[in-house]
Amino acid sequence: MTAKPEVQISFTKEQLKDFLDIVALGEWMINATRVERIDKYDTLSQHVFKVAKEAGLKGVEYDEEDGKYWLTAEYEESILQDFKEEYDNETFWN
């Protein structure tokens, strides 16, 4: 079996921050209500969080105890919470 070629994507720092928003919100939507999380989305979000941290974006921290990257509370409570509330409001009223 041959290895799949790696795909490279270039982002400006602002685009990477926006991509981080999308990944964080997408992973939340997929896994927030599940008892058993879908691992492939956790793995992908971990990769994006790592890239964001290495690029110097604020809002991502590395926890040495569990070896994972996490969004900071400040980051989650900022624009991400606004998007979640807007989504919840809209789906409730529909």
Side-chain angles (χ1 to χ4, degrees):
M1 183 158 96
T2 60
K4 294 181 182 179
E6 189 172 306
V7 175
Q8 298 290 319
I9 301 173
S10 296
F11 290 114
T12 65
K13 226 170 184 178
E14 181 155 340
Q15 289 172 326
L16 180 58
K17 196 270 183 214
D18 292 344
F19 186 63
L20 178 63
D21 291 349
I22 291 170
V23 169
L25 288 165
E27 192 279 326
W28 169 78
M29 178 173 256
I30 290 168
N31 280 323
T33 60
R34 296 183 185 280
V35 174
E36 292 190 34
R37 299 174 65 83
I38 300 176
D39 289 335
K40 70 180 182 178
Y41 297 113
D42 278 334
T43 301
L44 179 59
S45 64
Q46 281 295 299
H47 180 71
V48 173
F49 293 176
K50 179 181 185 223
V51 169
K53 175 77 172 162
E54 290 173 351
L57 290 182
K58 296 186 186 302
V60 180
E61 56 192 21
Y62 181 72
D63 185 335
E64 292 197 23
E65 277 189 40
D66 68 6
K68 291 188 176 187
Y69 292 86
W70 298 98
L71 299 175
T72 63
E74 296 83 19
Y75 181 81
E76 287 200 70
E77 291 168 3
S78 65
I79 193 168
L80 295 185
Q81 191 60 36
D82 292 342
F83 284 131
K84 289 176 185 178
E85 288 174 9
E86 185 179 329
Y87 175 83
D88 288 345
N89 242 355
E90 192 63 31
T91 56
F92 175 79
W93 291 109
N94 282 328

